[in-house]
């Protein structure tokens, strides 16, 4: 699950500069608040283009990422729309690709490899290109 935190009326100002200090400070505050509230294990991932807080899940809560940019929520909606439309094909295929990529060590965008999302987009592109799955208009999932 991807969540987006909007910090206030000046939220978009954080993205107007290449300086990530303000974004990282906000992510660290979110991480610290979650930890103080007993949410464990939770990590701040700050050495990437868009810093996030990552919760890996436990017996009570599912895994989630918290970011400060709405793109993650929109992107998750896109993937969800394709998976829902083609569940018998896509769900097992994407799980296999994700597990395989982690096993061989190429699923780690922080070390210069691919994120799960990037691998998912590659699979969707291939299946769309050869006509295995149908295009979903953007208006249908926003």
């Amino acid at each position: 699950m991807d969540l987006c935190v909007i910090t206030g009326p000046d939220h978009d100002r954080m993205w107007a500069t290449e300086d990530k200090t303000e974004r990282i400070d906000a992510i660290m505050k979110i991480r610290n608040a979650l930890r103080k509230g007993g949410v464990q294990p939770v990590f701040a991932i700050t050495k990437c283009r868009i810093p996030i807080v990552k919760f890996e899940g436990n017996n009570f809560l599912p895994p989630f990422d918290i970011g400060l940019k709405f793109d993650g929520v929109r992107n998750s909606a896109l993937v969800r729309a394709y998976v829902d439309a083609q569940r018998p094909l896509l769900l097992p295929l994407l799980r296999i690709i994700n597990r395989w990529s982690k096993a061989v060590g190429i699923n780690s965008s922080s070390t210069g490899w691919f994120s799960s999302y990037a691998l998912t987009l590659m699979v969707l592109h291939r299946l769309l290109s050869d006509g295995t799955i149908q295009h979903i208009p953007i208006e249908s999932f926003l």
Side-chain angles (χ1 to χ4, degrees):
M1 169 174 25
D2 286 327
L3 306 168
C4 177
V5 173
I6 304 297
T7 59
D10 292 336
H11 180 79
D12 290 335
R13 183 179 48 76
M14 267 195 263
W15 303 100
T17 176
E18 291 298 314
D19 181 15
K20 296 195 303 185
T21 306
E22 189 175 1
R23 290 175 257 174
I24 290 171
D25 288 344
I27 286 295
M28 297 305 285
K29 286 177 184 175
I30 293 167
R31 184 209 58 187
N32 293 342
L34 288 169
R35 284 183 175 173
K36 186 175 180 179
V39 177
Q40 295 286 342
V42 64
F43 308 96
I45 300 175
T46 59
K47 295 184 191 261
C48 54
R49 190 172 55 85
I50 299 176
I52 62 168
V53 172
K54 183 170 217 48
F55 172 67
E56 295 182 350
N58 59 28
N59 293 336
F60 307 104
L61 295 169
F64 60 80
D65 294 343
I66 299 175
L68 300 171
K69 198 157 175 145
F70 182 71
D71 297 355
V73 175
R74 184 195 61 223
N75 296 348
S76 291
L78 168 69
V79 171
R80 173 62 52 204
Y82 277 104
V83 169
D84 287 347
Q86 301 287 330
R87 184 169 295 274
L89 169 68
L90 282 177
L91 198 56
L93 178 59
L94 293 174
R95 283 184 178 155
I96 289 167
I97 297 287
N98 196 32
R99 287 183 183 147
W100 165 80
S101 65
K102 287 180 179 178
V104 298
I106 65 167
N107 187 323
S108 178
S109 61
S110 63
T111 59
W113 287 101
F114 301 106
S115 66
S116 294
Y117 179 68
L119 291 165
T120 297
L121 289 182
M122 287 184 225
V123 169
L124 290 175
H125 179 267
R126 173 66 184 164
L127 296 174
L128 284 162
S129 296
D130 69 13
T132 302
I133 62 174
Q134 298 300 310
H135 172 74
I136 297 176
I138 193 169
E139 299 81 21
S140 65
F141 66 87
L142 289 181

